[in-house]
Amino acid sequence: MSVQRKMMGEILLDIGLITQDQLDDALVQQNMTGERLGNILVDRGILSEQQLIETLEFILGIPHVQLDRMTIEPDAVKLISANMARNHKVLPITRKNGLITLAMADPLNYGAIDDVRMVTGLDVIPVIARERDMDTAIRQYYALRVDADVERILGELIQEEKNSLNTQKENAVLKIDDDAPVVRMVNSILAQAVQGRASDIHIEPQERDIRVRFRIDGQLYEVLNLPKKSSGAIVSRIKIMAGMDIAEKRIPQDGRVRMTLEGRPVDFRISTLPAIFGEKVVLRILDRANALTAVEQLGLSTRNKEHLISLSHRPHGMVLVTGPTGSGKTTTLYSALGEINSIDKNIITLEDPVEYSLPGINQVQMNTKTGLTFAAGLRSILRQDPDVIMVGEIRDHETAQLAVQAALTGHLVLSTLHTNSAAGAVARLTDMGIESFLLASSLIGVIAQRLVRRLCPNCRRPYRLSQEVAEKLDIGEQSGEQFYRAAGCNMCRQLGYRGRMAIQEIITVGPRLRNCINRSDTSEDAIQTTALQEGMVSIKNDGVLKALAGLTSLEEVMKAVLMGG
């Protein structure tokens, strides 16, 4: 293999793509690190990846393919495990007549070819693909599928349970070494969920089996069905990881665990719930690699981004983020805190629960069992000389009153409310007993938002909006305009969408709106009308503009707006 690698270097030298000094330096690094020569040259900017692929094609006579434009057979993908695909950077594309076509980032990796041949029992036809395309395709095609050796692990797990059927409950301690079947099963599920960008894992006992589902981009997908007999071992293993009581199955429990997956720490917030067929487990994945913490990453319009940044930098006042559960309110608050976090500011948060650790920020976990509620915590941190306070949620009169007082006494207060619109936040606070004149003096901005799925840019399809549909959606002015709809391709696993973004409406409290609140004219309609007069773009119109730009679809926008009432 080293001879062929050297030959590739010599050919690159002969055709003038690299110099002798560049080749010598790259070979020294290769001997030290074991990296592929081509990768070293690309990383150093000496070659482009396309030049490298064309050279490999010339040397080896192996064609190169564009994975995002190919039809990849799902049955072929299943021939090898996700671990083998990731470790060797290979992906089966087709299977026909005893042959398997194998996309490879490194077609000189004969060890990988031999491994695939041995596992599948098929002869291998290698083709070359760009490394980043391989990484993307492997993530996509193995995102919703547990490793191929799952059946073997299950067999071991079931046999282990049979051997311990007569064990007494007090002695029912699971084998928890790294090689135990239940450990490998749970680890496989968690790793696949993180790899597939899932936000939640649902492990649900049914009458005859256990259903495992992942929530990806807000949608639930079924990924696995496990034998009913494995339920006890899997739930107990997760409880042990999270420090829960494995003997208690009659009441809900909560826990948390941190694991290292794909070389980085990932937190899981775990909840169990007794159901009629056994305990249901939901694991919320708190992966900092997928957490949006910069304002630029939220997908906001230029106008709304400027408003959010401006509100974040105000020296005092109250800013509220509203929307239903799962609409990204906490992410927006974290983004605002990240915008203003600096050494000269004392920032304290009250959260239930703390989702992500934010460097340089003092975060406090609520604990109602000990009396540490939002109101109690807020009273305490006002004695901690704060500049900025984030309150996870305003739920009652006392918390609302303290938040308003903090905003009036020179603090910037950020919090959330469960209302359907930005205008509805004002009415909600007055319903909580906040005097109109105090609200007018303290409130500086309200952000209402929803999350919509992003269209896959590789396969979205343009169309012209008919007048009939435009009028039905109450956007008659957009009749005849070009929008985009989801299609589906290899890049997005035929879903048509990949990732999510926020659509928002932002009220910045100006003189007219402040006067409106002062007059106690705080009905949702009155506030909405005044805010629109002051230049607010409604959440629906913000979504339509993003659909016009091809970032999302009208279907996603309308579904999100209707979800909020």
Side-chain angles (χ1 to χ4, degrees):
M1 190 182 301
S2 60
V3 173
Q4 294 202 34
R5 289 184 187 278
K6 182 102 179 277
M7 183 181 71
M8 183 181 72
E10 290 174 343
I11 290 180
L12 290 171
L13 185 63
D14 290 342
I15 61 180
L17 287 177
I18 61 174
T19 67
Q20 185 66 56
D21 287 344
Q22 289 170 333
L23 175 59
D24 292 342
D25 289 345
L27 288 172
V28 169
Q29 182 175 334
Q30 184 189 39
N31 289 331
M32 293 174 59
T33 65
E35 293 177 81
R36 291 193 288 128
L37 179 63
N39 275 3
I40 294 170
L41 295 170
V42 170
D43 290 343
R44 292 186 174 193
I46 298 170
L47 285 179
S48 70
E49 193 170 10
Q50 188 61 35
Q51 287 174 316
L52 175 62
I53 287 174
E54 290 171 355
T55 303
L56 286 171
E57 187 173 20
F58 174 71
I59 294 172
L60 304 173
I62 298 175
H64 77 272
V65 296
Q66 291 180 279
L67 292 178
D68 59 337
R69 297 184 181 179
M70 293 196 66
T71 300
I72 297 174
E73 297 175 2
D75 288 341
V77 174
K78 294 177 183 177
L79 291 172
I80 67 172
S81 71
N83 283 336
M84 178 176 283
R86 292 191 200 104
N87 291 339
H88 289 315
K89 279 195 173 21
V90 298
L91 183 72
I93 296 175
T94 62
R95 173 186 181 176
K96 187 176 182 181
N97 299 329
L99 300 172
I100 181 173
T101 302
L102 188 70
M104 306 181 69
D106 180 8
L108 293 171
N109 188 346
Y110 299 115
I113 293 174
D114 289 341
D115 286 349
V116 172
R117 183 184 293 120
M118 182 175 65
V119 167
T120 63
L122 303 171
D123 286 333
V124 175
I125 301 174
V127 294
I128 308 169
R130 291 190 303 177
E131 186 158 358
R132 65 172 179 269
D133 290 347
M134 289 294 307
D135 290 337
T136 300
I138 290 169
R139 281 197 301 270
Q140 290 162 351
Y141 279 90
Y142 290 97
L144 300 182
R145 187 168 75 83
V146 179
D147 286 345
D149 63 350
V150 67
E151 291 185 6
R152 178 172 53 82
I153 299 175
L154 277 173
E156 296 174 19
L157 187 61
I158 293 168
Q159 185 60 46
E160 187 175 86
E161 284 203 338
K162 286 180 180 178
N163 294 338
S164 59
L165 278 177
N166 298 321
T167 305
Q168 297 298 315
K169 183 171 71 173
E170 57 269 23
N171 295 324
V173 179
L174 283 171
K175 178 186 175 187
I176 57 172
D177 60 86
D178 290 343
D179 196 46
V182 66
V183 173
R184 287 185 285 127
M185 172 60 69
V186 171
N187 288 350
S188 178
I189 292 172
L190 301 188
Q192 289 295 320
V194 171
Q195 182 75 20
R197 301 180 303 106
S199 61
D200 301 88
I201 304 168
H202 292 243
I203 300 175
E204 304 164 315
Q206 308 292 300
E207 187 173 4
R208 294 183 176 85
D209 59 12
I210 304 168
R211 181 174 65 181
V212 180
R213 295 190 291 173
F214 294 168
R215 188 178 294 278
I216 301 174
D217 294 337
Q219 304 288 312
L220 277 171
Y221 299 94
E222 184 172 311
V223 297
L224 182 66
N225 290 97
L226 301 173
K228 184 72 172 178
K229 291 181 180 179
S230 63
S231 175
I234 289 174
V235 173
S236 294
R237 170 58 186 164
I238 293 171
K239 284 183 174 181
I240 288 172
M241 292 167 60
M244 299 179 182
D245 183 354
I246 64 171
E248 181 56 75
K249 302 178 181 180
R250 299 165 299 175
I251 61 174
Q253 296 187 62
D254 295 303
R256 191 169 181 135
V257 65
R258 171 170 290 187
M259 297 180 65
T260 299
L261 296 171
E262 298 190 348
R264 65 179 187 271
V266 179
D267 290 323
F268 295 87
R269 196 171 74 230
I270 301 168
S271 171
T272 67
L273 181 70
I276 59 172
F277 296 120
E279 288 182 279
K280 171 179 166 62
V281 182
V282 174
L283 301 94
R284 167 62 57 88
I285 302 172
L286 305 173
D287 184 2
R288 287 189 61 86
N290 292 330
L292 300 178
T293 54
V295 171
E296 288 74 16
Q297 293 177 288
L298 294 176
L300 308 183
S301 67
T302 301
R303 178 188 180 89
N304 283 347
K305 182 171 70 174
E306 290 172 353
H307 281 320
L308 177 57
I309 292 173
S310 174
L311 290 171
S312 302
H313 284 279
R314 296 282 284 273
H316 56 81
M318 184 165 64
V319 179
L320 300 174
V321 182
T322 76
T325 300
S327 59
K329 299 187 295 296
T330 301
T331 297
T332 297
L333 288 178
Y334 279 175
S335 300
L337 293 179
E339 178 69 25
I340 59 177
N341 187 15
S342 61
I343 196 68
D344 61 337
K345 284 189 173 66
N346 178 22
I347 303 175
I348 305 178
T349 73
L350 300 173
E351 303 177 60
D352 185 20
V354 174
E355 294 198 2
Y356 296 100
S357 175
L358 303 175
I361 292 176
N362 305 285
Q363 295 173 270
V364 180
Q365 170 73 55
M366 297 297 93
N367 189 339
T368 54
K369 292 180 181 178
T370 63
L372 184 53
T373 61
F374 282 121
L378 192 46
R379 279 195 301 270
S380 296
I381 65 175
L382 285 173
R383 297 189 289 271
Q384 290 282 318
D385 185 32
D387 297 297
V388 181
I389 300 167
M390 187 191 102
V391 182
E393 184 181 351
I394 294 177
R395 299 173 178 171
D396 52 49
H397 168 75
E398 186 178 10
T399 307
Q401 190 73 40
L402 288 167
V404 168
Q405 289 175 2
L408 289 172
T409 53
H411 306 89
L412 179 64
V413 179
L414 310 176
S415 191
T416 72
L417 274 177
H418 284 287
T419 62
N420 291 329
S421 66
V426 178
R428 177 65 55 83
L429 288 172
T430 55
D431 288 344
M432 286 183 176
I434 303 301
E435 297 287 348
S436 296
F437 70 94
L438 293 175
L439 190 56
S441 301
S442 60
L443 188 65
I444 59 174
V446 185
I447 303 164
Q449 71 177 47
R450 307 285 184 274
L451 293 180
V452 295
R453 290 182 292 171
R454 290 179 181 267
L455 280 170
C456 173
N458 187 62
C459 64
R460 64 185 183 183
R461 295 289 181 265
Y463 70 97
R464 295 289 173 182
L465 185 65
S466 69
Q467 184 174 350
E468 179 184 358
V469 174
E471 290 176 353
K472 185 179 294 185
L473 299 177
D474 197 24
I475 52 172
E477 68 278 7
Q478 305 297 346
S479 175
E481 294 288 347
Q482 178 174 285
F483 287 87
Y484 296 81
R485 58 168 54 99
C489 67
N490 294 334
M491 294 292 289
C492 61
R493 291 187 54 84
Q494 307 302 323
L495 299 176
Y497 297 93
R498 182 171 174 81
R500 290 193 291 176
M501 66 189 304
I503 57 173
Q504 295 181 317
E505 60 185 21
I506 299 183
I507 292 177
T508 55
V509 180
R512 295 173 66 179
L513 196 53
R514 188 166 286 110
N515 289 336
C516 186
I517 298 172
N518 257 325
R519 295 194 307 269
S520 297
D521 190 4
T522 57
S523 69
E524 187 169 343
D525 287 344
I527 298 297
Q528 180 82 359
T529 299
T530 306
L532 289 170
Q533 290 172 350
E534 289 195 333
M536 181 189 79
V537 176
S538 72
I539 194 168
K540 178 179 178 180
N541 286 341
D542 185 50
V544 169
L545 290 173
K546 287 172 178 171
L548 271 170
L551 301 175
T552 188
S553 66
L554 271 180
E555 291 82 0
E556 278 291 298
V557 172
M558 296 306 164
K559 182 172 67 174
V561 172
L562 290 174
M563 178 187 72

